[in-house]
Amino acid sequence: MRREEEASLVGLTIRTSSATASSSSKKGKDVQTNDASDSSPSIKNSPFNSPSLVSPPSSAFVSALQSPYISPRATQPLTTTTAHKPSSPPPEDVPSSSYTPPSDQYEFSDDPSDRKLKLSSACTPDPALPRISFSFPVPRVSLAKVSVSSPATTNTTKLRSSDVFIGFHGQNPNLVRFCKWLKSELELQGIACFVADRAKYSDTQSHEIADRVICSVTYGIVVVSCSSLLNYLSLEEVRFFAQKKNLIPIFYGTGPSEIMGLLNCNAIDKECKEAIDGLFKSHEFKLEANESNWRSCVGKTAMILRGKLGRKSVVDKEIVERIDELPFPRNRTFLGREKEIIEMEMAFFGSNGEYLESTTPSSKGEASGLSSEGLADEESDAAVSTRNGKFITLELGRCSEQRSEAPNGGKNSLKRLLKTKKCRSSSGNCKSSSSTSVVCVNGVPGIGKTELALEFAYRYSQRYKMVLWVGGEARYFRQNLLNLSFSLGVDVSADAEKDRGRLRSFDEQEFEAFKRIKRELFRDMPYLLIIDNLEIEKDWWEGKDLNDLIPRNTGGTHVLITTRLPKVMAFDTVQLSSLPSSDAMVLLRGRRKKDYPAEEVEILKVFEEKLGRLSYGLWVIGSLLSELAITPSALFEAVNKVHIEERSASPFLNSNDEGYCRSNPFVAKVLAFCLAVLEQAQGNRNLLSLKMLLVGAWFAPVPIPVNLLAAAAKNMPTGGNRFSKWNKCLSHTFAWCGGCGGLGRRGEEDAAFLLVRLGLARMSNRQPGCWIQFHPITQTFARRRDYILAPKATVQGVRKIENPLLNLDHLWASAFLVFGFKSEPPLVELQAMDLVLYIKRTALPLAITAFTTFSRCTSALELLKVCTNVLEDAEKSFVTQIQDWRQGSLCWKKKTSKKVDEYVWQDVTLLKALLLETRAKLLLRGGHFDSGEELCRTCISIRTVMLGHNHELTLAAQETLAKLVRMRSKI
């Protein structure tokens, strides 16, 4: 009967090792029972080998070659007499949860004359266990060959179909990272994938599952690395998919020319030549991955498979390069910091030299005592193939019986391929503990932390799916993290109103919003998250720890933090020191790279010493020397003549900024000189650049649209020439050069570009329009210069923002100026009418957007509460004025020409009622029915008195009250 079943399966070949060949003569029923009893104990005690875990996350995508089969996991024996040791957890570099790597895969020969590594029994297929393997050709694995214990387990243990098999081999963490990225990207496009390094499978069940998947997928991707050619399983995958004409090879860390050179080696056997020949016949798409094109290679592979599988309709968005992925253009004049960049690369991706050393055998040939997994990876990849129950090594390209008849050409060729590969994509220590996922770059202000992070992002952007840039300033850090929802495509909006069911609290909704972002950000898809200028370790709003926002396991994502703090949690730190004198001198010479005589060079060295070789100050001096017709000695004399007035501390500066300003008086003089230059250059006719600088200091520390900056600057009055005492000095000290571009009357973009040319700001990549961002040190000193007129002009300019979602940080900055938060007092005092307009057009929409779009429930309600309190204070002031006017003398009444505007009073009261109603509606979403009912009744009372009982606004408030009462009774 067994022969009849096998004869009915055309083209199917099921091979077992020689130790079980005698069992093939038994009846089919007995064979099924034996297979079940042999495999089930291992299945029961190995949760990592569950086929349901290796299945793709979505069953909506069905392979074109659909093959229904039941996993061996469904086999449940009635009795188990053999105890098995439970499997150890899979390592981090295993992309599929079905891996069960052995504790010691490889061992050395005891014979000192035999320097070849041998496969241990943990990695070598056990001849005593049958293993279903695919041969050429293999159309299907039959369902009849798998034993099912009961129909009840069939539905839950059926392996889901996969469209693509991704095979690779190697212990390089970056290779594993690339394959995980490829799998995640394909599944994002609606393509179900199965990723496997079959050489790490230690049990027969895992091999059987992988074989079934390989036979059923529509396309097979083999990531060909240097280690792949040393592994018989990888060669088997290449030959199988090449024969089925569905192979898509990706060369990783090696090139076709290097592999083609192996064909000239006489020691390569026929099967190895067939595999190499199959690679080149299928290399029509030219997919070659190296450290400079990972993103492009993954995107091209996804595009090819989408077209072949007809999944174009599934994908809503194409993979395109984002223009505004990084906030600033690349600094083409970046110099130095190579040591720090290499240190950051080693921390994230591992050490290249360490990996290559671990994959090179010892020259002394000491086999005993070596425990390097990398060495085992090289030699053990001279893997073993089973053919008719005999092991055939592909290490020398011939059978073991022929080992003494040919030289070691094949072995040496493959070793040379490992040693001479030029691509650094194989960099990384074999042990995952050598790399980290979070790195902090710390240093004093102005030392160049942001520039270093920007340069690192541009150099290694191809190793990431996307680079995400987040400002780490305390007030805006929470909102900036939530803004990632736009880039990641995550919905973080708050819960809508519910008539039935459980209402989640505000804390739960905020926690869920961050959980969604973390779930998308910290998975196998690699992102580079840059947190620039992290000010504190805890959340400024609620005091939550940074560990709540950045988990210990960041998946494929790397986090780069720049901060002034000496230490952030327990993260690895890269300490920045001052630039070397040679690099500092290059910055001082400016963009034009002028050559100066020896005496002027000495003055440059004095600048270098005064500025502490910090890149910010050096860049400003170099910009002044480039834009002005002035020598270093004249510039040094002019800067020294600048007198810094002792001012009281700005109420909006923290103690760290105040301390920096006082400890760096020469930097303060340089920036004061820049302000004088702007005023002198404009000829006191149009001080647009100077005003843009002063008002820009009060915006949020993120890019600002130039039209918004100009609108705010035009609201700032011209308060005379505060730098008049320097005008005569400046006019005799330097003259404008023709290359300055005419610093007279300027347009908005020209005025902004002047600030960039002087080194006080930098251009941004944000679209649409022109955007600039001021350096934090520039903002700090500008705030000390003017904290009365400029903040008020900033608030008035913010009201003209057209797209609130693109300028949320600036809206919050204006709210801080008007209302103050926590222990900070308000800095801008608005008149009653201006206050009504600001709350109605800015504060109220900001609170509603923060609540509904970003689930910032607590912050939004706090903002509305502060607005309500401010309006109540305005009402009290109106009442006080009326009382004083009535109780005052007749002479006082005649002298008082200012009257209370009743219409403004009415607007204030009605706006207060609107805020109360809005707060009640928002409290309803969080289940705070009692507080919402109290606010709503107050709103109804105000509108009844002001508008009447039957007014539409009064009736709307009554409906809100009825809903609150009804919801309280239901829930």
Side-chain angles (χ1 to χ4, degrees):
M1 183 176 177
R2 177 59 177 250
R3 293 191 182 94
E4 293 176 359
E5 288 181 4
E6 292 182 352
S8 64
L9 300 174
V10 181
L12 175 64
T13 304
I14 300 180
R15 301 173 308 198
T16 58
S17 58
S18 60
T20 59
S22 60
S23 63
S24 62
S25 61
K26 296 182 179 181
K27 294 182 180 181
K29 184 177 180 179
D30 297 336
V31 173
Q32 292 178 4
T33 305
N34 292 338
D35 290 343
S37 62
D38 290 340
S39 59
S40 57
S42 176
I43 298 167
K44 182 178 180 181
N45 294 289
S46 181
F48 304 103
N49 290 334
S50 172
S52 61
L53 296 179
V54 302
S55 303
S58 175
S59 60
F61 309 106
V62 183
S63 171
L65 295 179
Q66 206 167 26
S67 175
Y69 41 79
I70 305 300
S71 164
R73 186 171 183 246
T75 305
Q76 301 293 337
L78 298 177
T79 58
T80 302
T81 57
T82 306
H84 289 261
K85 183 180 179 180
S87 304
S88 59
E92 293 182 359
D93 62 343
V94 177
S96 173
S97 56
S98 66
Y99 293 150
T100 310
S103 58
D104 187 10
Q105 293 184 355
Y106 310 104
E107 62 183 5
F108 289 95
S109 172
D110 294 331
D111 185 4
S113 62
D114 186 7
R115 301 302 181 190
K116 184 184 74 66
L117 290 172
K118 297 190 302 182
L119 289 172
S120 68
S121 59
C123 184
T124 305
D126 190 353
L129 295 175
R131 173 179 178 266
I132 300 176
S133 176
F134 50 88
S135 61
F136 303 95
V138 179
R140 280 293 180 271
V141 175
S142 174
L143 178 63
K145 297 301 175 183
V146 184
S147 174
V148 182
S149 60
S150 63
T153 60
T154 301
N155 296 331
T156 59
T157 58
K158 180 177 179 179
L159 279 176
R160 296 175 184 174
S161 173
S162 297
D163 298 314
V164 176
F165 174 84
I166 303 175
F168 72 100
H169 177 65
Q171 297 185 359
N172 179 9
N174 293 327
L175 172 63
V176 178
R177 177 185 177 86
F178 176 82
C179 294
K180 286 183 177 181
W181 179 5
L182 180 60
K183 174 181 179 291
S184 299
E185 183 64 38
L186 292 178
E187 290 183 342
L188 183 65
Q189 308 299 324
I191 302 172
C193 300
F194 186 98
V195 182
D197 180 2
R198 296 191 297 149
K200 294 183 179 179
Y201 287 177
S202 62
D203 62 302
T204 306
Q205 179 206 5
S206 299
H207 282 283
E208 291 175 352
I209 294 175
D211 290 350
R212 287 179 170 87
V213 172
I214 289 174
C215 293
S216 65
V217 294
T218 310
Y219 289 97
I221 296 178
V222 179
V223 182
V224 183
S225 62
C226 299
S227 301
S228 301
L229 300 178
L230 293 170
N231 180 254
Y232 86 98
L233 293 171
S234 296
L235 295 177
E236 188 179 50
E237 294 166 3
V238 171
R239 291 166 52 218
F240 178 75
F241 288 123
Q243 184 170 349
K244 292 181 63 178
K245 300 186 183 304
N246 61 351
L247 172 65
I248 300 179
I250 299 178
F251 291 93
Y252 177 92
T254 185
S257 58
E258 296 177 349
I259 295 181
M260 182 66 74
L262 294 178
L263 293 177
N264 300 327
C265 182
N266 297 329
I268 300 297
D269 70 348
K270 180 181 178 181
E271 294 180 353
C272 190
K273 288 183 179 181
E274 287 179 1
I276 296 177
D277 185 61
L279 286 176
F280 288 98
K281 286 183 179 180
S282 306
H283 192 46
E284 55 178 319
F285 300 110
K286 311 294 183 183
L287 297 175
E288 300 178 17
N290 54 65
E291 62 181 8
S292 62
N293 72 340
W294 282 8
R295 186 192 299 187
S296 302
C297 184
V298 170
K300 184 178 179 181
T301 305
M303 180 183 63
I304 292 171
L305 287 170
R306 284 205 318 269
K308 286 183 172 293
L309 294 172
R311 298 291 166 82
K312 293 185 179 180
S313 60
V314 178
V315 184
D316 296 329
K317 56 181 181 179
E318 297 290 335
I319 300 176
V320 293
E321 291 292 335
R322 292 169 50 94
I323 319 175
D324 57 343
E325 180 176 298
L326 287 168
F328 312 113
R330 189 170 188 174
N331 185 3
R332 301 297 178 184
T333 60
F334 181 84
L335 74 161
R337 304 298 186 192
E338 293 299 327
K339 177 184 176 182
E340 288 81 1
I341 289 180
I342 293 176
E343 186 177 350
M344 293 157 60
E345 180 192 8
M346 290 173 59
F348 283 141
F349 301 103
S351 171
N352 180 40
E354 200 170 343
Y355 178 77
L356 293 179
E357 181 181 358
S358 65
T359 58
T360 305
S362 173
S363 58
K364 297 181 181 180
E366 297 177 357
S368 59
L370 293 178
S371 60
S372 171
E373 295 181 6
L375 176 59
D377 180 62
E378 175 189 339
E379 290 291 349
S380 63
D381 288 341
V384 179
S385 174
T386 58
R387 179 184 297 170
N388 297 328
K390 296 182 180 179
F391 294 104
I392 298 177
T393 177
L394 298 181
E395 174 195 5
L396 303 180
R398 57 195 175 280
C399 297
S400 301
E401 292 81 4
Q402 303 172 352
R403 182 171 298 143
S404 60
E405 298 178 6
N408 293 335
K411 180 178 180 179
N412 294 334
S413 298
L414 296 183
K415 283 186 177 181
R416 283 196 300 270
L417 180 62
L418 278 174
K419 294 180 182 179
T420 60
K421 60 181 184 286
K422 298 179 181 179
C423 182
R424 292 185 59 202
S425 58
S426 296
S427 64
N429 192 0
C430 299
K431 298 181 180 180
S432 58
S433 60
S434 64
S435 60
T436 183
S437 58
V438 183
V439 172
C440 294
V441 177
N442 64 352
V444 298
I447 201 171
K449 302 181 292 295
T450 302
E451 291 291 340
L452 178 61
L454 185 66
E455 179 64 19
F456 181 86
Y458 271 106
R459 288 193 188 184
Y460 300 97
S461 61
Q462 278 290 324
R463 300 192 185 186
Y464 300 95
K465 164 74 174 178
M466 190 186 304
V467 180
L468 304 170
W469 192 284
V470 171
E473 291 77 12
R475 295 183 182 90
Y476 312 100
F477 184 42
R478 190 178 187 85
Q479 181 63 57
N480 292 338
L481 286 177
L482 291 171
N483 289 342
L484 295 178
S485 59
F486 296 117
S487 301
L488 299 175
V490 178
D491 181 17
V492 294
S493 57
D495 294 343
E497 293 184 8
K498 297 179 180 179
D499 293 335
R500 300 179 184 275
R502 175 180 175 271
L503 291 178
R504 296 189 300 175
S505 65
F506 293 143
D507 291 338
E508 290 176 324
Q509 295 184 43
E510 293 182 1
F511 177 79
E512 178 64 24
F514 278 100
K515 183 179 177 180
R516 291 174 185 174
I517 291 181
K518 290 194 295 183
R519 183 169 55 243
E520 179 67 24
L521 183 60
F522 302 116
R523 58 189 185 97
D524 287 343
M525 189 76 77
Y527 294 99
L528 175 60
L529 175 62
I530 298 179
I531 302 176
D532 186 33
N533 193 21
L534 182 68
E535 290 184 345
I536 56 178
E537 294 183 356
K538 294 187 176 181
D539 180 31
W540 184 76
W541 290 90
E542 299 180 3
K544 292 183 178 180
D545 197 84
L546 190 61
N547 282 332
D548 297 335
L549 306 177
I550 302 177
R552 293 182 179 272
N553 181 17
T554 61
T557 298
H558 290 160
V559 182
L560 179 60
I561 302 174
T562 67
T563 179
R564 302 178 185 181
L565 302 175
K567 187 70 175 178
V568 177
M569 311 302 286
F571 300 143
D572 293 350
T573 301
V574 176
Q575 178 69 42
L576 287 191
S577 57
S578 301
L579 287 172
S581 181
S582 58
D583 294 339
M585 194 61 63
V586 173
L587 289 179
L588 284 174
R589 292 180 183 274
R591 291 182 293 270
R592 304 181 188 275
K593 296 181 175 57
K594 298 179 181 179
D595 293 328
Y596 296 103
E599 56 273 12
E600 298 294 340
V601 173
E602 293 298 325
I603 299 296
L604 292 179
K605 292 182 179 179
V606 176
F607 271 119
E608 176 186 322
E609 181 182 355
K610 290 277 188 179
L611 297 171
R613 296 205 302 273
L614 300 181
S615 58
Y616 171 75
L618 298 173
W619 179 253
V620 173
I621 293 296
S623 300
L624 290 173
L625 292 176
S626 299
E627 298 299 327
L628 309 179
I630 188 173
T631 61
S633 57
L635 178 61
F636 184 76
E637 180 183 359
V639 170
N640 273 335
K641 289 183 178 180
V642 174
H643 176 67
I644 302 298
E645 299 179 359
E646 290 294 334
R647 289 175 173 265
S648 59
S650 171
F652 211 73
L653 286 183
N654 55 42
S655 57
N656 293 332
D657 291 338
E658 282 290 345
Y660 178 81
C661 295
R662 294 179 180 178
S663 60
N664 293 272
F666 191 78
V667 176
K669 287 188 175 184
V670 170
L671 294 178
F673 178 80
C674 291
L675 297 179
V677 166
L678 291 175
E679 191 169 26
Q680 175 69 14
Q682 304 291 348
N684 209 14
R685 294 170 297 175
N686 182 6
L687 304 176
L688 186 56
S689 295
L690 179 61
K691 292 180 180 180
M692 290 172 71
L693 173 60
L694 294 177
V695 299
W698 298 100
F699 280 88
V702 294
I704 313 170
V706 171
N707 57 355
L708 175 61
L709 196 60
K714 292 175 183 178
N715 291 323
M716 185 176 177
T718 304
N721 191 351
R722 287 166 295 171
F723 305 100
S724 57
K725 55 186 176 182
W726 294 333
N727 285 348
K728 184 177 180 180
C729 173
L730 291 173
S731 60
H732 290 293
T733 303
F734 59 85
W736 302 107
C737 64
C740 292
L743 301 179
R745 199 174 186 87
R746 318 184 65 82
E748 294 178 359
E749 293 190 4
D750 292 335
F753 188 58
L754 176 60
L755 298 174
V756 175
R757 289 163 59 188
L758 292 180
L760 303 176
R762 66 186 309 161
M763 300 298 297
S764 175
N765 288 333
R766 297 191 65 174
Q767 297 291 336
C770 179
W771 299 61
I772 65 172
Q773 179 171 344
F774 293 97
H775 194 280
I777 297 179
T778 304
Q779 287 187 308
T780 298
F781 279 93
R783 287 178 181 179
R784 286 172 56 87
R785 177 62 57 186
D786 188 344
Y787 51 86
I788 299 177
L789 298 177
K792 188 173 182 179
T794 301
V795 172
Q796 293 175 348
V798 163
R799 294 197 323 219
K800 300 181 180 180
I801 288 179
E802 298 177 356
N803 192 344
L805 288 179
L806 292 179
N807 299 277
L808 284 173
D809 286 342
H810 299 311
L811 294 176
W812 279 109
S814 65
F816 296 146
L817 293 174
V818 175
F819 305 115
F821 268 80
K822 297 189 175 182
S823 60
E824 298 175 358
L827 196 61
V828 176
E829 184 176 355
L830 298 177
Q831 298 296 327
M833 193 61 203
D834 293 334
L835 184 62
V836 169
L837 292 176
Y838 176 80
I839 293 177
K840 189 177 296 185
R841 298 179 182 178
T842 304
L844 182 58
L846 173 61
I848 294 176
T849 302
F851 188 101
T852 58
T853 307
F854 299 100
S855 297
R856 295 192 62 181
C857 307
T858 306
S859 304
L861 289 171
E862 182 67 22
L863 176 59
L864 293 177
K865 181 179 179 180
V866 171
C867 292
T868 306
N869 295 337
V870 171
L871 291 179
E872 289 179 350
D873 292 340
E875 279 186 315
K876 292 178 181 178
S877 67
F878 287 141
V879 173
T880 303
Q881 291 180 27
I882 294 295
Q883 292 177 349
D884 293 344
W885 185 81
R886 288 179 177 178
Q887 297 176 1
S889 62
L890 183 61
C891 297
W892 185 87
K893 293 180 182 179
K894 291 182 178 180
K895 293 181 181 179
T896 305
S897 60
K898 185 177 180 180
K899 297 182 180 180
V900 176
D901 193 334
E902 295 181 0
Y903 293 102
V904 176
W905 192 353
Q906 181 179 359
D907 290 340
V908 169
T909 306
L910 290 178
L911 181 58
K912 174 187 172 183
L914 177 60
L915 293 177
L916 293 174
E917 182 186 20
T918 304
R919 290 170 60 189
K921 289 181 178 180
L922 297 182
L923 288 171
L924 172 63
R925 296 192 180 188
H928 297 269
F929 304 119
D930 294 336
S931 301
E933 182 179 348
E934 181 181 354
L935 295 176
C936 197
R937 292 186 184 278
T938 306
C939 171
I940 293 174
S941 301
I942 295 174
R943 287 179 176 176
T944 302
V945 173
M946 302 290 294
L947 302 175
H949 183 74
N950 295 325
H951 193 274
E952 57 181 358
L953 294 179
T954 307
L955 297 177
Q958 291 176 353
E959 291 180 2
T960 303
L961 177 61
K963 185 181 295 185
L964 283 165
V965 175
R966 184 172 61 252
M967 292 292 292
R968 184 179 59 180
S969 62
K970 285 184 177 181
I971 301 177

